[in-house]
Amino acid sequence: MRLDAAQAADETKGKTIMKAIAILMMTGTLLATGAARAEAMLEDFSYPFEVKRLVLHSQRQSLSMAYMDVKPETPNGRTIVLLHGKNFCGATWERTIGALRDAGYRVVVPDQIGFCKSSKPEAYQFSLTQLAANTRRLLSELKIEKPVMIGHSMGGMLAARYALAYPRQLAGLVLVNPIGLEDWQAKGVPPATVDELYRSELKTDAERIKAYQMKVYYDGKWRPDYDRWVDMLAGMYAGADGARVAWNQALTSDMVFSQPVIHEFGRIRVPTTLMIGMRDKTAIGRDRAPPEVAAVLGNYPELAREAAQQIPNARLLSFSDLGHSPQVEDPERFNARLLEGLTLMGY
């Protein structure tokens, strides 16, 4: 009996030691993982306002959705939601956030799952519908009803999908140089597999980001203040967990290419304003399209006019001398026209 008791005690002690070792190993792994993902989560990049987090239970996993919730000193009782583009983050809206706050608006700016300061899941079925549902969950948690939603670039596609999915939950829609004003595959751009997109994303660095943005976004012109946004993106890829960033970007590239919203613009039922920099040349997949197809893609003056005709009662505000990111190129002029547009929208 004593021997059995001693053996049991030894076994218990051994299990306790092994459990402690396992915990230490797990802790070390988590610490190492956390350190590796600092860059991937943009922990070293400062946002202009406090970043908060919502835990999302989505697709059988817990994810962290980062967002800014900026409240004015003198509220006008209205809320604006700003959605970032694929090569952008919530921080890119900083000058617009300040202008809206100063005008009395509450401003909510999420980083979508897979982007910037939010989680980069190893496995996730990215869809505009899923990102819209995630955004709806955030606004529900914040008890925000009927905001105006402003989406830039990919965020414009997402805002349009949100308006289609939750029409009674929006007071209005503003699309700032949205991508997806044309169906690239229908126009002749061949699709790419996620693996092909991933291999391309792994080559991303600051030099490639700057070259692409200067050519496509800024009409061949560059200013030193744009470097901050290049460094923001390049830092995620350059970190120890850059492959995870590249994988998420590949999945979202497939999402924007294969899930067009343009064919449903006629069903949008909320007041809509298009704010378009006419020197934009963005067209997803142009680099793999035949020359004759590539030559006609990304014609924003034509695409903007067509979109304004398709969306019921849409208003088009254009900037003839600006490109893909008018809120970055000329924030004062952009913000003045945005506030004017919100007034015309009755908001």
Side-chain angles (χ1 to χ4, degrees), residues 73-192:
E73 291 186 7
T74 307
N76 63 14
R78 300 182 175 96
T79 300
I80 304 292
V81 179
L82 299 174
L83 302 182
H84 64 78
K86 186 176 184 299
N87 293 326
F88 304 85
C89 295
T92 319
W93 285 110
E94 64 176 339
R95 296 286 294 274
T96 303
I97 297 170
L100 290 169
R101 174 204 57 192
D102 293 346
Y105 294 99
R106 179 183 180 181
V107 190
V108 176
V109 193
D111 278 348
Q112 296 299 326
I113 295 299
F115 294 87
C116 307
K117 288 185 178 289
S118 291
S119 294
K120 317 289 186 307
E122 281 283 4
Y124 202 65
Q125 196 277 319
F126 279 99
S127 69
L128 295 171
T129 297
Q130 179 67 71
L131 298 187
N134 294 346
T135 304
R136 177 64 191 142
R137 169 71 187 282
L138 171 64
L139 299 183
S140 295
E141 288 288 326
L142 298 177
K143 295 180 171 52
I144 292 172
E145 298 293 337
K146 298 189 78 66
V148 164
M149 186 164 284
I150 303 175
H152 170 238
S153 192
M154 180 201 77
M157 286 187 83
L158 174 55
R161 176 57 62 200
Y162 191 101
L164 290 163
Y166 309 104
R168 296 181 181 179
Q169 301 300 330
L170 281 184
L173 189 64
V174 179
L175 305 179
V176 181
N177 281 78
I179 60 172
L181 293 183
E182 58 189 335
D183 185 337
W184 305 290
Q185 187 166 354
K187 285 193 170 182
V189 177

Side-chain angles (χ1 to χ4, degrees), residues 271-288:
T272 301
T273 298
L274 289 152
M275 299 186 69
I276 307 294
M278 294 297 190
R279 292 186 179 273
D280 192 358
K281 301 181 182 69
T282 306
I284 305 302
R286 178 191 272 121
D287 58 337
R288 59 179 186 267

Side-chain angles (χ1 to χ4, degrees), residues 244-255:
R244 181 189 289 260
V245 173
W247 180 245
N248 276 246
Q249 287 296 302
L251 294 173
T252 52
S253 290
D254 177 71
M255 174 186 74

